[in-house]
Amino acid sequence: MSDRVIPLVDQRLRGLVARVPEQAIAANGLLGDTLGRPLRDLRISVTDRCNFRCNYCMPKSIFDKDYQYLPHSELLSFEEITRIARQFVAHGVQKIRLTGGEPLLRKHLEILIEQLSSLRTAEGKPLDITLTTNGSLLRKKAAALKAAGLNRVTVSLDGLDDTVFRAMNDVDFPVADVLGGIAAAREAGLGSIKVNMVVKRGTNEDQILPMARHFKGTGVTLRFIEYMDVGATNGWRMDEVLPSAEVVQRIHAELPLVQLDPSAPGETAERWGYADGSGEIGVISSVTQAFCRDCNRARLSTEGKLYLCLFASQGHDLRALVRGQASDEQLASAVAHIWQKRDDRYSELRASLPPDASSGGRRVEMSYIGG
């Protein structure tokens, strides 16, 4: 058997210049890309660090004790993040999701949430501010996050069996502590709690039904995510993908399901409700059923690069503008100029790409820009 070679490219050293167009582009909340997709969702990575070593995201073989994370001076400050976010909101962003790495590792994150919660859309409405976390620190921080203005939380949990879960996070972290974090989020009043399970064939597919049984009737929405070819370090293979259609079939055989309408334009998850009315699940099928045509999401990396696709290889450097004394008008124009040229639709094109292109050799790591 030949060895699998995983090419490594430090995306933090690569970046496209974010240019300010000669003619200012006014922000009117109606910004569209080349395919007519509006800008509605901004995902902000606040740290490149994580305390888990999940093999589909930050495998220990790469992210070991010698791995060099970004120094604090390279990270966007909370004030810089808020200033950039304000320009995105002016262009139509309605939801901001904080990600990582593990975002709760960023000290005093409640301050950033409080700053972001003060922003308003052009219609004067507050933003939907949410956060994705592995749940390890949620028990101690849920109340403070809610008080700062966080609306919702999504927790990553790849199985209920403690042995399976400890193996997948690869740091021997117990599932009970994540469940405790979810309970704390509910007690704090964080609404619409979601739990994301990445399904990897041959690893945790036997956890699908136990997870469905556990969260059914609790008010928590469980979502199953196809194992994706993000980055270069997870050694992704198509034969390890369990199609969402099969996930739905397995659950439906025991717990009958009915399909539900999307909750919002550009929704990534296909919704299925339990026939007895006791809740719902979602499936995110970015490998087998691409949803690029409705994608309205932009991603801001930890140190200020704007990525237009989860599978992108390069980002546009907004930090250089912010720290180079660009005005708000110039910053907003640069964002608009970048988005208007966007034509990304990797998931739709995946099947037609040559093998070396679809293997993810040069794409940005998910731990760097969030999921």
Side-chain angles (χ1 to χ4, degrees):
M1 179 183 296
S2 60
D3 293 334
R4 182 185 300 172
V5 177
I6 302 177
L8 295 180
V9 178
D10 192 339
Q11 301 291 346
R12 300 169 302 181
L13 303 179
R14 300 160 58 95
L16 300 170
V17 175
R19 301 187 182 281
V20 178
E22 292 185 6
Q23 185 168 351
I25 303 175
N28 59 10
L30 301 174
L31 189 64
D33 67 8
T34 62
L35 301 177
R37 296 170 294 188
L39 177 59
R40 291 290 180 264
D41 186 325
L42 177 62
R43 303 192 172 188
I44 302 173
S45 174
V46 296
T47 180
D48 61 339
R49 299 170 185 266
C50 186
N51 53 348
F52 282 10
R53 287 295 176 267
C54 303
N55 54 25
Y56 58 79
C57 183
M58 294 182 72
K60 192 178 289 184
S61 58
I62 303 298
F63 298 89
D64 58 14
K65 62 181 178 61
D66 297 320
Y67 184 80
Q68 296 297 308
Y69 293 97
L70 289 165
H72 188 75
S73 61
E74 296 292 312
L75 275 58
L76 290 176
S77 70
F78 291 162
E79 290 73 23
E80 289 171 333
I81 291 173
T82 302
R83 183 186 174 206
I84 292 173
R86 185 178 292 112
Q87 314 315 315
F88 278 87
V89 171
H91 283 304
V93 160
Q94 300 169 355
K95 181 173 78 172
I96 291 179
R97 178 178 297 277
L98 300 179
T99 70
E102 169 47 47
L104 296 185
L105 290 178
R106 182 77 183 258
K107 292 182 178 179
H108 310 300
L109 187 65
E110 310 85 61
I111 295 175
L112 174 61
I113 292 172
E114 188 172 2
Q115 291 177 4
L116 294 174
S117 67
S118 69
L119 301 179
R120 294 294 182 269
T121 67
E123 297 76 27
K125 297 180 180 179
L127 300 177
D128 180 14
I129 301 177
T130 184
L131 175 144
T132 296
T133 173
N134 62 28
S136 61
L137 301 172
L138 190 55
R139 194 196 310 247
K140 65 175 66 174
K141 296 198 173 186
L145 295 171
K146 172 64 177 176
L150 187 69
N151 302 121
R152 300 184 292 111
V153 66
T154 297
V155 179
S156 300
L157 178 61
D158 296 327
L160 284 177
D161 182 278
D162 202 50
T163 300
V164 172
F165 182 67
R166 288 174 187 259
M168 289 197 73
N169 66 57
D170 206 16
V171 292
D172 205 33
F173 195 86
V175 70
D177 286 4
V178 177
L179 295 176
I182 295 171
R186 297 182 68 180
E187 292 169 6
L190 288 166
S192 187
I193 297 173
K194 295 182 174 67
V195 169
N196 284 350
M197 175 183 174
V198 173
V199 182
K200 187 175 180 182
R201 189 191 293 275
T203 300
N204 67 334
E205 60 189 293
D206 64 340
Q207 295 298 295
I208 293 171
L209 278 168
M211 289 279 284
R213 296 184 197 113
H214 180 84
F215 289 106
K216 182 177 184 288
T218 66
V220 173
T221 299
L222 175 61
R223 303 193 300 183
F224 299 92
I225 303 176
E226 290 178 343
Y227 173 47
M228 292 183 290
D229 49 330
V230 177
T233 62
N234 69 0
W236 182 87
R237 294 191 328 219
M238 185 64 194
D239 61 3
E240 292 176 328
V241 176
L242 186 72
S244 293
E246 187 172 334
V247 173
V248 172
Q249 290 172 1
R250 291 189 185 196
I251 296 173
H252 180 69
E254 178 180 325
L255 307 169
L257 298 168
V258 292
Q259 191 161 12
L260 304 175
D261 293 331
S263 58
E267 175 63 61
T268 58
E270 184 180 272
R271 299 171 62 213
W272 292 84
Y274 292 110
D276 62 6
S278 60
E280 66 178 77
I281 65 165
V283 290
I284 299 177
S285 316
S286 62
V287 176
T288 62
Q289 298 179 46
F291 40 78
C292 302
R293 66 179 61 86
D294 298 320
C295 181
N296 55 17
R297 291 170 295 285
R299 291 173 168 83
L300 184 66
S301 74
T302 312
E303 90 295 32
K305 291 190 176 68
L306 170 59
Y307 285 83
L308 302 178
C309 178
L310 180 59
F311 301 96
S313 60
Q314 287 184 299
H316 301 260
D317 187 5
L318 297 183
R319 189 187 65 185
L321 292 179
V322 171
R323 296 185 179 178
Q325 308 305 313
S327 67
D328 283 353
E329 181 184 63
Q330 290 174 321
L331 183 56
S333 291
V335 169
H337 185 63
I338 294 166
W339 187 265
Q340 286 178 341
K341 293 180 178 297
R342 175 186 186 238
D343 61 1
D344 301 73
R345 55 191 187 99
Y346 169 79
S347 291
E348 288 184 346
L349 298 174
R350 178 190 284 107
S352 63
L353 293 173
D356 59 338
S358 62
S359 66
R362 293 186 299 171
R363 289 192 299 277
V364 65
E365 297 297 328
M366 184 163 56
S367 60
Y368 173 62
I369 58 170

